Amino acid sequence: MNNERRKQIENIKGRIAVLLSEAENIKTDVEAIRDDEQEYRDNMPESFGEGEKGEKADAAIAALEQVIEDLESLIENDFDGQLDTAAE
């Protein structure tokens, strides 16, 4: 690996840091939406909870939880370690 490519890798590491910071912010926002939807679902009258509204709320909560899991997976990835290995 030559010095020019190492510099490019360092630049990419900085860009990834910005991306991961934004992913963390997005995850926090999605968690807040999920929590609001869960509160809505928990406070729903039983007759609604067993019907279409309850099903839609459950589906929304599950979808938001999947987004959160996917963002966590991205955030936990060891990009720096992989790029450091590439730069050796």
Side-chain angles (χ1 to χ4, degrees), residues 18-50:
V18 171
L19 171 72
L20 294 178
S21 176
E22 184 62 17
E24 188 67 49
N25 292 336
I26 292 168
K27 183 179 106 108
T28 299
D29 292 345
V30 174
E31 287 171 333
I33 295 167
R34 187 255 344 253
D35 293 347
D36 288 347
E37 187 68 12
Q38 185 66 58
E39 184 177 344
Y40 165 74
R41 175 67 173 96
D42 292 345
N43 293 317
M44 192 178 284
E46 190 173 327
S47 61
F48 288 152
E50 293 175 0

Side-chain angles (χ1 to χ4, degrees), residues 46-66:
E46 190 173 327
S47 61
F48 288 152
E50 293 175 0
E52 185 179 346
K53 285 187 178 190
E55 289 176 11
K56 286 184 176 184
D58 289 340
I61 293 164
L64 293 166
E65 287 177 347
Q66 183 62 55

